[in-house]
Amino acid sequence: DAALATVGGASSSAGGDGGTPKPSVAVSAVAPAGAAPVPAAAPDAGAPHDRQTLLAVLQFLRQSNLREAEEALRREARLLEEAVAGSGAPGEADGAGGEAASVLLSRVTASVPGPAAPDPPGTGPSGPAAVSGSATGPAAPGKVGSVAVEDQPDVSAVLSAYNQQGDPTMYEEYYSGLKHFIECSLDCHRAELSQLFYPLFVHMYLELVYNQHENEAKSFFEKFHGDQECYYQDDLRVLSSLTKKEHMKGNETMLDFRTSKFVLRISRDSYQLLKRHLQEKQNNQIWNIVQEHLYIDIFDGMPRSKQQIDAMVGSLAGEAKREANKSKVFFGLLKEPEIEVPLDDEDEEGENEEGKPKKKKPRKDSIGSKSKKQDPNAPPQNRIPLPELKDSDKLDKIMNMKETTKRVRLGPDCLPSICFYTFLNAYQGLTAVDVTDDSSLIAGGFADSTVRVWSVTPKKLRSVKQAADLSLIDKESDDVLERIMDEKTASELKILYGHSGPVYGASFSPDRNYLLSSSEDGTVRLWSLQTFTCLVGYKGHNYPVWDTQFSPYGYYFVSGGHDRVARLWATDHYQPLRIFAGHLADVNCTRFHPNSNYVATGSADRTVRLWDVLNGNCVRIFTGHKGPIHSLTFSPNGRFLATGATDGRVLLWDIGHGLMVGELKGHTDTVCSLRFSRDGEILASGSMDNTVRLWDAVKAFEDLETDDFTTATGHINLPENSQELLLGTYMTKSTPVVHLHFTRRNLVLAAGAYSPQ
Amino acid sequence: MAEEKKLKLSNTVLPSESMKVVAESMGIAQIQEETCQLLTDEVSYRIKEIAQDALKFMHMGKRQKLTTSDIDYALKLKNVEPLYGFHAQEFIPFRFASGGGRELYFYEEKEVDLSDIINTPLPRVPLDVCLKAHWLSIEGCQPAIPENPPPAPKEQQKAEATEPLKSTKPGQEEDGPLKGKGQGATPADGKGKEKKAPPLLEGAPLRLKPRSIHELSVEQQLYYKEITEACVGSCEAKRAEALQSIATDPGLYQMLPRFSTFISEGVRVNVVQNNLALLIYLMRMVKALMDNPTLYLEKYVHELIPAVMTCIVSRQLCLRPDVDNHWALRDFAARLVAQICKHFSTTTNNIQSRITKTFTKSWVDEKTPWTTRYGSIAGLAELGHDVIKTLILPRLQQEGERIRGVLDGPVLSNIDRIGADHVQSLLLKHCAPVLAKLRPPPDNQDAYRAEFGSLGPLLCSHVVKARAQAALQAQQVNRTTLTITQVLSLSTSAPGSGSTTTSPVTTTVPSVQPIVKLVSTATTTPPSTAPSGPGSVQKYIVVSLPPTGEGKGGPTSHPSPAPPPSSAPSPLGSSTLCGGKQEAGDSPPPAPGTPKANGSQPPGSGSPQPAP
């Protein structure tokens, strides 16, 4: 345990070193090249490997004249050595004890914001020290062998594992031998063992390339790439262009393969079969790869069927380990604060009462009482400190409740109406859209770096008067809020200038006072919707920021970008509070859980991860998508997650059990937007194929098999036909559906830019 | 789901010659083969890397097309300075050249004359982004409004028409909206309209089609009733609106069989009754149907062609053949047939050759009356220059003799005289431009007489005129292109926002071509009828006002068939060419309307619609 703790420390200081005054230019030049965490060493190989990497790091630090950091690391390293000497292997035992582990991890992750604060190294595309710390998370604490930041000269250390080589001419034979064996094995094993093909293929190819057997590598690729599953095509394309050892240094995809073990889930029987075969054949080459680069998650019981496997595989690094999804997630909703709903004739009075800074009243109203009792799955109310409700928020909540009473009950027989907002003449390209919760404002982010805010109600957008004018206003008057607004500025549209690149994400704050936008220029900007000016530019991601979203309670927000991390921010901190690192490729979309305690991220590595905001841990890894994930949404009750990817499929997940529970097929292109209706009966999905589709969410979640076996093994049987869940398909006129929104009364608002062919 | 697909990846590498070329352009003359090889490997790899990153930006930009800016951003990711000067190109027009055994792709940079740029008026300022809301669906049902795509896209209509048994897959477009609520069409009707085709449908008595009832919703029935009444009614304004609706509304396919039957039956009845006005109205309906880009008309062509042909070659189309301008109807219908041929003729149905045969047969026949003769020639002439060249020109001499026989000979009947006169001017009108192209310039009266007999001298003077016109037209090319661009920007600027029933897709397609035609019309027609070229062009650019002008044509209830026929063809000729949308803003060319209204104009000089 102590070993782990110190590693955490070491990593933090290693990460921190970049923060010492070093020109950021230099850092960014270095970072993309090769800053990558050293792979988690296998538990048994831990100690010597650690030392090797540590030495490499020290060497690098010396080269870079980072004396302080070097000193610090040295101190830590000595500690580490002692610790290793002292406790050795027991530290890695899986059953390290939940408590201890979580204590340690809290230390690991608590230290994350530290190094990230002064920043740059944390923005390297392959993620800083925190990567494997939180990536493997509490799920597999024992596996965290060592963490270090590597640099270009030492990339060879990363690749060194490829050094041991067999006869390059034999590779094809090895592979086809294994192929023959697997194809001839029993049906029940064949599907499971077939999973080996892809990772083996990749690693054998990389080994050939690394050892500079170009021609062999080429012919190996030519011969066998056709056998791989079609969903690996994108990665294969990257691989195919990689033909030289020199190329391997900077190639991120390649590093992903190297630094993270490909995870396979195989039943014990199948595994034994494979092992026996490899031993019989003395096929050391393959055995070595299996040992070093693959993580085989063995389970007892029936081998899985081809379908079951196909549903779960597809991500860049194989399936999620089973332990990764075992930790508890508080997916319930927080208790709503009790606000008394004034009767209509008391409207005025209610407002006045709330005008004073008064605590909630004990009186209850029938409308709000639904959510009064504590959900057993909900996190403690103050698990995450949330901002206090302001008076205006309370008013809004009251409005919301009133609207709720007028809400349409949706169902297969009562489909919602869809109102489509078309952005016309958006030749520059519409890249992001958001709608306020009360559906009064629409924001569009454009590729020409502008953010435009429209009012879709008759109420025009007005900004606050200049300071000089404001001082003239009688502050005591009743309509002071009205008086501070400048009538002259009233217009339907306000344009916000400030970004210097396409705006890929936009999000309104729940109180409609702020707007966030994230852009290619690497910043997230906070705009005031009172003055229509930029208040803060949050710099941290250095690379394009693909998405950002406000917490449902305001104050916090999350952003994710090309640097492969998602960051949690608070509006009043210019540095991130948490860095969620672990994805192996760009973080394409980020969403807050309705209870604000979790953040879900969808990535180009074809996984969805759920992060705990409290401690920064990754608590769920969902695999099964076959393409980069571009949309995410939580069900209103917080139990389910729906994700959409470029492959046109929408997958449904049960957060509590960590299982895939549904697959919705129908779209023929990237699913850009997903949204549940306010009561969760309908899931709407919008896509680049110019359609909006409505799905029966109730039915999709209805007959969940959540028996113990399924939960324990994670083997799911998806219903064959998702067509019967499809309630409607609505074509637009060459308008990709970029955003979907359910109004409080369950009317669907969809938005997209008309793109003439 | 994850069916085993054999994928094919090929590792493309730049040819090493490219490196040589680049090196040469940098001033490095001698570069070793080995170096080239190394360079190409490296460059190919880097290019692929950047392309893969650029794709990311395309996806995040919610686009289907990679743009140059994506590449720029990808370069920026790699800390490389982006390429400047490749912005805002819709595509990069690489040109290909080969020679000396070398193949080369290059980026063509045209030399631009600065004075040209200075002299061309500034393009219109692009419209700013705006938001427009419409109902994509109302309680699960997609309303058939222009902002939404047509309920059944053309491909689907075609699929239903050709393969009724496997149309409408479950869970596909059709299914969704219909399931929610039984509004309008019953689910069966996807196949249902199959039934409508009357027994004359050629082919396959053996093949059994699923029998189902074809129902129209109440709304559709009302619409059908309104439209058909307006189309043949007395109010010209209403008619224009109705025709516009037929020409542009996207959701008419269910009613198509009804319209088709309505037209063919209507023609049958009205030919017998010699009701010229109604025949014209029906032809305008055909034209409107043909103009609707969302309709799959192939299935009904067999019903429409006989009707249209009837209006071309029928012996008598009106009550008073000596006064009424049935010639215009024949011209118009001939143009329709030509359009049908152009759109629907294939090697399997041979529509064009069958039609040509019909025309020639009746023309060659000695006993054919002048009216039919006129129709046949008009029909042939509209089919294009080739047809004129091969079928009409060789018979000019013979026809000339026949005409002279009537015009110069003893007065047999006034009707024959008028007919012969019309045939003569028709022949002159169509043949002159063709001859102008075929024959080298010096136009000699005698040579023409020798070749074409009695028509020779007249032809000669017409050819001379045609040449002059061609020259004039060449001068005006500039102007035409200008107007086209204007129209383009106008039509694309407000897609879907059309306050009328224009819609994003329909606007762009029809309104562009027609204008082109129209301009050429205006320029080629002798100035006698239309005002000057540019003037009329301007008029048609004002697109959106629908009917007003036409209303003047026929305010009286009906028979006075004079106004409609005369006012009809010319606005027809032009307005329908314009996609049916742009009725002439104000006062459709008054010239043709007035001379005919009094009906006394001698037909010879009148023939006021020489529109080609």
Side-chain angles (χ1 to χ4, degrees):
Chain A
D1 298 1
L4 259 178
T6 47
V7 169
S11 74
S12 76
S13 61
D17 65 35
T20 51
K22 183 177 179 185
S24 64
V25 179
V27 171
S28 61
V30 165
V38 157
D44 39 353
H49 198 100
D50 280 356
R51 194 158 307 162
Q52 195 186 335
T53 41
L54 265 174
L55 286 177
V57 174
L58 286 171
Q59 186 193 347
F60 163 65
L61 291 176
R62 197 170 308 140
Q63 280 170 8
S64 322
N65 265 340
L66 299 165
R67 298 249 170 263
E68 278 175 50
E70 189 194 334
E71 269 307 299
L73 182 58
R74 210 176 274 283
R75 272 201 302 280
E76 294 280 358
R78 203 156 299 128
L79 262 178
L80 172 71
E81 276 156 41
E82 284 161 20
V84 170
S87 66
E92 278 98 50
D94 263 47
E99 267 179 84
S102 67
V103 169
L104 293 174
L105 276 156
S106 68
R107 195 174 151 191
V108 172
T109 44
S111 66
V112 168
D119 225 323
T123 60
S126 25
V131 169
S132 41
S134 47
T136 34
K143 302 292 185 294
V144 187
S146 84
V147 176
V149 175
E150 283 287 8
D151 185 45
Q152 206 155 2
D154 298 302
V155 151
S156 52
V158 180
L159 298 170
S160 60
Y162 281 135
N163 271 334
Q164 3 136 314
Q165 51 165 314
D167 182 358
T169 51
M170 293 296 285
Y171 274 55
E172 289 186 14
E173 218 160 287
Y174 292 147
Y175 187 86
S176 45
L178 184 76
K179 190 175 155 193
H180 179 73
F181 159 70
I182 291 176
E183 277 166 0
C184 294
S185 59
L186 289 176
D187 276 3
C188 61
H189 299 301
R190 192 192 304 149
E192 286 209 315
L193 292 178
S194 300
Q195 299 177 75
L196 276 167
F197 282 143
Y198 176 66
L200 280 180
F201 170 79
V202 171
H203 284 291
M204 290 174 84
Y205 176 75
L206 289 179
E207 231 169 75
L208 284 172
V209 172
Y210 181 77
N211 293 313
Q212 296 178 311
H213 303 297
E214 257 180 66
N215 294 329
E216 284 86 354
K218 203 173 264 177
S219 85
F220 182 78
F221 190 91
E222 282 301 315
K223 197 158 176 193
F224 298 115
H225 82 266
D227 300 342
Q228 310 306 327
E229 301 279 359
C230 53
Y231 37 79
Y232 292 121
Q233 200 171 357
D234 288 347
D235 293 338
L236 287 178
R237 200 166 284 141
V238 175
L239 271 186
S240 75
S241 62
L242 196 81
T243 53
K244 287 220 183 321
K245 187 180 176 184
E246 298 81 59
H247 296 160
M248 294 175 86
K249 277 181 190 159
N251 193 292
E252 291 157 13
T253 316
M254 205 284 311
L255 281 172
D256 288 338
F257 281 118
R258 260 316 279 121
T259 55
S260 56
K261 290 194 160 196
F262 198 94
V263 182
L264 302 165
R265 242 186 251 182
I266 292 184
S267 73
R268 190 169 295 283
D269 292 349
S270 305
Y271 181 67
Q272 297 292 1
L273 199 66
L274 173 76
K275 202 168 161 187
R276 217 174 311 132
H277 168 77
L278 291 177
Q279 278 167 354
E280 262 171 34
K281 291 267 163 179
Q282 308 264 304
N283 200 337
N284 284 332
Q285 204 57 39
I286 290 187
W287 186 240
N288 276 340
I289 293 180
V290 171
Q291 291 281 301
E292 294 213 5
H293 302 306
L294 308 190
Y295 178 93
I296 299 191
D297 194 2
I298 301 165
F299 60 86
D300 293 305
M302 284 282 292
R304 294 186 293 169
S305 70
K306 174 95 175 115
Q307 262 165 328
Q308 282 174 321
I309 294 170
D310 273 340
M312 298 293 288
V313 296
S315 95
L316 194 63
E319 293 182 55
K321 294 172 190 153
R322 269 173 303 157
E323 310 95 78
N325 288 337
K326 286 283 182 271
S327 52
K328 176 155 177 59
V329 173
F330 300 102
F331 56 81
L333 301 184
L334 291 179
K335 212 163 72 175
E336 283 291 312
E338 292 156 11
I339 306 168
E340 106 278 7
V341 176
L343 298 174
D344 280 346
D345 52 355
E346 289 175 5
D347 253 353
E348 290 293 322
E349 194 193 325
E351 241 176 89
N352 290 343
E353 273 173 16
E354 283 162 7
K356 297 162 220 157
K358 188 188 281 186
K359 279 287 130 193
K360 304 156 203 161
K361 289 203 170 177
R363 255 200 299 150
K364 284 187 178 181
D365 193 277
S366 59
I367 300 172
S369 66
K370 182 181 65 177
S371 52
K372 287 299 188 291
K373 55 179 184 301
Q374 178 76 30
D375 185 336
N377 293 311
Q381 202 70 9
N382 51 5
R383 191 165 177 266
I384 302 284
L386 292 174
E388 293 220 343
L389 280 187
K390 286 177 294 192
D391 302 331
S392 55
D393 297 335
K394 288 179 187 162
L395 270 181
D396 196 53
K397 284 228 182 304
I398 292 167
M399 279 301 294
N400 191 359
M401 283 174 194
K402 280 183 188 163
E403 292 273 299
T404 307
T405 56
K406 296 174 190 160
R407 184 178 295 169
V408 182
R409 284 239 150 252
L410 298 179
D413 302 320
C414 181
L415 293 178
S417 301
I418 304 173
C419 178
F420 202 101
Y421 283 97
T422 312
F423 288 78
L424 297 170
N425 311 316
Y427 302 113
Q428 67 270 58
L430 175 74
T431 43
V433 177
D434 195 39
V435 181
T436 53
D437 189 66
D438 69 346
S439 317
S440 62
L441 304 175
I442 291 185
F446 292 86
D448 65 356
S449 317
T450 58
V451 180
R452 288 157 195 257
V453 183
W454 279 268
S455 165
V456 289
T457 56
K459 203 176 145 196
K460 297 234 164 122
L461 298 171
R462 296 171 302 175
S463 47
V464 174
K465 287 179 183 164
Q466 297 295 317
D469 300 327
L470 281 178
S471 62
L472 305 176
I473 292 172
D474 173 15
K475 291 172 192 66
E476 299 306 312
S477 74
D478 288 343
D479 59 346
V480 67
L481 287 180
E482 191 57 30
R483 287 194 189 190
I484 58 170
M485 306 312 283
D486 188 352
E487 270 312 317
K488 287 199 289 288
T489 62
S491 69
E492 263 175 30
L493 162 69
K494 294 276 182 194
I495 306 180
L496 307 175
Y497 298 100
H499 281 295
S500 59
V503 179
Y504 291 114
S507 174
F508 282 106
S509 70
D511 60 5
R512 295 187 298 284
N513 283 327
Y514 304 103
L515 173 70
L516 278 172
S517 62
S518 68
S519 158
E520 187 271 341
D521 61 14
T523 61
V524 178
R525 279 177 187 268
L526 181 75
W527 308 85
S528 162
L529 299 183
Q530 301 294 332
T531 57
F532 295 97
T533 52
C534 183
L535 302 177
V536 197
Y538 300 95
K539 294 175 189 169
H541 285 277
N542 284 357
Y543 286 98
V545 189
W546 297 131
D547 197 11
T548 185
Q549 199 211 5
F550 253 113
S551 145
Y553 293 88
Y555 185 61
Y556 300 111
F557 65 92
V558 63
S559 65
H562 175 73
D563 59 2
R564 307 171 167 207
V565 294
R567 284 160 202 254
L568 179 85
W569 311 73
T571 47
D572 56 359
H573 286 63
Y574 67 91
Q575 295 161 349
L577 305 180
R578 296 282 183 276
I579 294 183
F580 305 118
H583 277 298
L584 299 175
D586 303 35
V587 175
N588 284 344
C589 48
T590 53
R591 282 292 171 273
F592 261 99
H593 190 277
N595 68 20
S596 197
N597 278 259
Y598 298 91
V599 166
T601 54
S603 161
D605 67 5
R606 308 188 286 274
T607 62
V608 177
R609 285 171 188 251
L610 191 70
W611 310 88
D612 192 333
V613 167
L614 180 66
N615 49 29
N617 291 338
C618 176
V619 291
R620 290 285 181 270
I621 303 176
F622 296 129
T623 61
H625 271 299
K626 314 284 187 266
I629 288 143
H630 276 258
S631 51
L632 282 174
T633 190
F634 283 95
S635 70
N637 61 12
R639 279 191 66 191
F640 303 106
L641 179 67
T643 57
T646 52
D647 58 4
R649 297 183 313 154
V650 175
L651 296 183
L652 305 172
W653 311 90
D654 181 333
I655 294 170
H657 296 101
L659 291 177
M660 186 194 294
V661 292
E663 180 189 28
L664 307 176
K665 283 186 283 190
H667 283 295
T668 55
D669 206 335
T670 308
V671 179
C672 302
S673 48
L674 282 168
R675 197 58 82 96
F676 280 97
S677 67
R678 292 281 169 150
D679 295 323
E681 313 96 330
I682 299 268
L683 173 64
S685 60
S687 158
M688 292 291 291
D689 66 7
N690 304 340
T691 57
V692 176
R693 284 170 205 256
L694 300 178
W695 309 86
D696 190 342
V698 176
K699 203 163 157 196
F701 296 132
E702 194 175 55
D703 31 60
L704 278 189
E705 329 171 28
T706 42
D707 53 89
D708 291 342
F709 178 73
T710 320
T711 335
T713 58
H715 302 168
I716 37 124
N717 282 307
L718 292 178
E720 261 305 290
N721 194 3
S722 59
Q723 287 307 315
E724 54 200 48
L725 298 176
L726 180 64
L727 298 177
T729 302
Y730 307 99
M731 286 284 285
T732 65
K733 218 165 198 178
S734 59
T735 311
V737 185
V738 176
H739 188 80
L740 286 167
H741 175 81
F742 276 86
T743 68
R744 288 169 177 174
R745 297 187 188 182
N746 268 339
L747 172 75
V748 184
L749 305 184
Y754 172 68
S755 54
Q757 270 104 18
Chain B
M1 155 171 71
E3 58 274 358
E4 199 89 24
K5 243 190 250 161
K6 292 283 172 195
L7 15 117
K8 199 74 207 126
L9 291 174
S10 57
N11 194 2
T12 331
V13 178
L14 290 174
S16 56
E17 285 94 67
S18 304
M19 295 304 119
K20 282 210 183 104
V21 172
V22 174
E24 276 167 25
S25 71
M26 305 281 287
I28 306 168
Q30 292 302 317
I31 187 162
Q32 285 177 358
E33 189 58 37
E34 214 171 302
T35 322
C36 280
Q37 199 50 46
L38 275 176
L39 275 174
T40 49
D41 281 352
E42 179 67 14
V43 171
S44 308
Y45 172 71
R46 296 296 163 202
I47 288 179
K48 281 176 196 171
E49 215 178 24
I50 285 167
Q52 278 153 4
D53 275 341
L55 269 185
K56 219 175 255 178
F57 284 94
M58 180 193 82
H59 279 298
M60 298 313 289
K62 316 264 189 316
R63 272 177 284 111
Q64 312 267 29
K65 223 186 266 173
L66 195 71
T67 64
T68 49
S69 61
D70 292 332
I71 307 269
D72 287 348
Y73 294 127
L75 286 171
K76 206 171 143 194
L77 272 192
K78 301 252 175 254
N79 249 338
V80 180
E81 179 137 357
L83 293 169
Y84 298 106
F86 283 99
H87 289 291
Q89 280 283 12
E90 180 65 0
F91 66 104
I92 304 173
F94 281 111
R95 293 278 308 271
F96 173 75
S98 65
R102 292 227 288 188
E103 295 181 337
L104 194 64
Y105 288 89
F106 63 96
Y107 177 66
E108 190 182 36
E109 283 180 291
K110 285 199 188 111
E111 269 181 38
V112 186
D113 192 349
L114 266 184
S115 63
D116 276 0
I117 296 181
I118 294 165
N119 291 332
T120 41
L122 288 175
R124 291 158 62 100
V125 179
L127 294 175
D128 198 12
V129 186
C130 63
L131 255 191
K132 182 169 186 297
H134 73 269
W135 290 109
L136 184 66
S137 141
I138 297 172
E139 296 185 353
C141 214
Q142 191 160 24
I145 48 175
E147 287 86 353
N148 288 328
K154 226 170 171 179
E155 294 75 41
Q156 191 191 333
Q157 292 179 40
K158 183 176 177 186
E160 280 171 12
T162 49
E163 290 167 274
L165 290 168
K166 63 168 161 180
S167 61
T168 54
K169 284 164 260 155
Q172 287 304 74
E173 325 315 328
E174 273 288 274
D175 221 287
L178 290 173
K179 209 161 68 175
K181 195 171 138 198
Q183 197 263 9
T186 57
D189 86 347
K191 298 162 186 168
K193 70 184 171 121
E194 205 48 38
K195 204 47 231 142
K196 189 56 219 164
L200 8 151
L201 184 66
E202 68 257 71
L206 295 174
R207 195 158 155 211
L208 289 175
K209 284 179 184 159
R211 192 186 161 78
S212 47
I213 306 142
H214 183 217
E215 276 177 2
L216 293 182
S217 67
V218 181
E219 290 91 335
Q220 283 170 323
Q221 287 175 25
L222 279 175
Y223 173 83
Y224 173 78
K225 188 162 159 277
E226 284 289 320
I227 289 284
T228 46
E229 276 173 9
C231 278
V232 296
S234 55
C235 175
E236 186 56 37
K238 256 194 183 169
R239 175 163 26 257
E241 254 177 86
L243 288 175
Q244 186 182 347
S245 168
I246 293 179
T248 53
D249 274 350
L252 297 182
Y253 77 107
Q254 287 174 4
M255 280 168 278
L256 192 51
R258 316 268 164 154
F259 280 129
S260 162
T261 315
F262 178 82
I263 291 166
S264 69
E265 289 294 306
V267 168
R268 226 171 53 184
V269 172
N270 286 296
V271 159
V272 176
Q273 297 180 350
N274 292 326
N275 192 338
L276 180 61
L278 276 179
L279 287 174
I280 288 175
Y281 300 152
L282 290 170
M283 286 304 105
R284 289 173 72 182
M285 273 180 84
V286 175
K287 174 76 185 159
L289 283 176
M290 300 235 351
D291 284 340
N292 192 324
T294 66
L295 290 179
Y296 180 76
L297 217 58
E298 275 85 338
K299 260 170 59 186
Y300 306 98
V301 166
H302 67 92
E303 237 181 335
L304 296 177
I305 289 181
V308 179
M309 292 286 276
T310 308
C311 291
I312 302 174
V313 295
S314 176
R315 177 187 302 259
Q316 195 179 354
L317 287 168
C318 49
L319 289 170
R320 295 178 302 161
D322 49 339
V323 185
D324 293 341
N325 188 2
H326 58 94
W327 311 105
L329 172 60
R330 293 179 200 273
D331 282 339
F332 180 61
R335 274 199 293 275
L336 270 181
V337 157
Q339 199 184 342
I340 289 175
C341 284
K342 217 169 108 206
H343 282 204
F344 304 117
S345 185
T346 61
T347 45
T348 43
N349 63 17
N350 276 329
I351 291 182
Q352 172 145 358
S353 68
R354 281 152 73 187
I355 286 176
T356 323
K357 234 178 256 168
T358 317
F359 283 139
T360 355
K361 221 173 109 193
S362 57
W363 184 24
V364 171
D365 191 350
E366 287 297 319
K367 288 173 217 134
T368 313
W370 283 106
T371 46
T372 308
R373 196 167 285 277
Y374 177 91
S376 310
I377 297 171
L380 284 174
E382 291 293 347
L383 288 175
H385 285 189
D386 283 341
V387 178
I388 294 177
K389 195 173 116 190
T390 50
L391 292 175
I392 299 182
L393 293 187
R395 285 186 57 85
L396 270 183
Q397 189 164 10
Q398 209 177 335
E399 198 63 24
E401 293 309 318
R402 189 197 305 275
I403 291 168
R404 204 169 55 142
V406 175
L407 291 182
D408 298 349
V411 180
L412 297 171
S413 87
N414 194 26
I415 292 181
D416 277 353
R417 247 191 113 78
I418 296 172
D421 196 69
H422 267 100
V423 169
Q424 178 177 330
S425 52
L426 179 77
L427 284 173
L428 291 175
K429 184 183 81 180
H430 283 297
C431 294
V434 181
L435 282 174
K437 271 196 195 138
L438 282 179
R439 295 175 72 98
D443 295 310
N444 188 339
Q445 295 260 359
D446 296 332
Y448 273 86
R449 189 190 295 280
E451 194 168 339
F452 303 110
S454 55
L455 276 177
L458 272 174
L459 257 180
C460 181
S461 61
H462 269 79
V463 169
V464 170
K465 239 187 249 170
R467 283 194 211 285
Q469 212 137 51
L472 195 108
Q473 199 177 0
Q475 274 177 10
Q476 291 189 338
V477 162
N478 259 344
R479 217 185 290 269
T480 57
T481 48
L482 244 180
T483 53
I484 288 163
T485 54
Q486 272 187 354
V487 168
L488 253 175
S489 65
L490 199 151
S491 55
T492 50
S493 63
S497 66
S499 53
T500 61
T501 44
T502 53
S503 49
V505 171
T506 50
T507 35
T508 47
V509 184
S511 63
V512 176
Q513 282 178 333
I515 289 290
V516 181
K517 282 187 191 167
L518 199 149
V519 171
S520 62
T521 308
T523 45
T524 47
T525 39
S528 62
T529 52
S532 68
S536 66
V537 170
Q538 284 308 334
K539 185 159 54 197
Y540 290 101
I541 287 170
V542 185
V543 169
S544 52
L545 318 170
T548 49
E550 289 241 336
K552 288 179 210 162
T556 47
S557 60
H558 114 268
S560 78
S566 57
S567 77
S570 77
L572 265 185
S574 49
S575 76
T576 42
L577 274 171
C578 299
K581 240 181 326 285
Q582 44 270 87
E583 293 299 328
D586 31 14
S587 72
T594 37
K596 267 302 90 174
N598 54 25
S600 60
Q601 185 117 352
S605 68
S607 78
Q609 292 82 35

